[in-house]
Amino acid sequence: MKIILFDGVCNLCNNTVTFIIKRDVSNEFKFASLQSTFAKEKLEGSGIDDLSTIVFFDNDKLYVKSSAVIRILRELKGYRWIGVLLLIPVGIRDFFYKWVANNRYKFFGKQDSCMLPSKDILDKFIE
């Protein structure tokens, strides 16, 4: 199962989830906010407690930050080519990722609570 954990109050993150859902033609992805009980339990013992990152579980493999974004995007129709970015050293990729993540509320805004999915996509969400 492919599970994406995202910051549920971040507008950029919520728009990214919508983007992924529209392009997930294989219907492989499930989503949960990092603020959820499910995410807390799933991440227990992983050392990840940072809500400014995206977490991607591809079956039993765990990816965070730029590696998660690239691996998610390359699963989507029309974006497989993006995997070439994995050739860039992770330190460089994550530098830019962290800059966006640290400024995401300033650039894109923040909601008061986690997004509520509509009925037609409710089955894509865990919890």
Side-chain angles (χ1 to χ4, degrees):
M1 180 182 289
K2 297 175 193 266
I3 300 172
I4 299 171
L5 304 178
F6 66 99
D7 179 355
V9 297
C10 167
N11 288 336
L12 172 62
C13 305
N14 287 321
N15 290 333
T16 300
V17 167
T18 301
F19 174 88
I20 294 167
I21 289 171
K22 287 181 181 178
R23 289 156 184 83
D24 181 18
V25 295
S26 301
N27 199 29
E28 293 187 68
F29 292 102
K30 296 284 186 186
F31 303 88
S33 75
L34 283 162
Q35 293 86 351
S36 70
T37 303
F38 172 83
K40 287 178 180 73
E41 290 171 359
K42 187 83 172 156
L43 292 173
E44 192 172 325
S46 71
I48 299 170
D49 57 0
D50 182 8
L51 297 184
S52 69
T53 191
I54 188 168
V55 179
F56 177 45
F57 287 94
D58 187 356
N59 296 311
D60 293 330
K61 294 185 180 174
L62 170 73
Y63 302 99
V64 295
K65 300 180 182 163
S66 65
S67 296
V69 172
I70 293 167
R71 290 177 186 280
I72 291 165
L73 287 174
R74 75 178 189 177
E75 296 285 327
L76 303 176
K77 184 177 181 180
Y79 291 88
R80 296 192 195 288
W81 60 270
I82 207 128
V84 73
L85 294 178
L86 290 170
L87 298 174
I88 298 171
V90 71
I92 295 170
R93 291 188 328 236
D94 281 351
F95 172 82
F96 291 102
Y97 178 92
K98 288 176 191 175
W99 181 79
V100 172
N102 289 337
N103 292 289
R104 69 192 186 283
Y105 297 145
K106 181 168 59 170
F107 295 154
F108 302 99
K110 180 179 178 181
Q111 299 177 29
D112 292 330
S113 61
C114 293
M115 74 179 261
L116 295 173
S118 60
K119 289 182 183 182
D120 57 324
I121 62 169
L122 190 58
D123 64 326
K124 304 282 279 169
F125 289 82
I126 302 168
E127 195 174 283

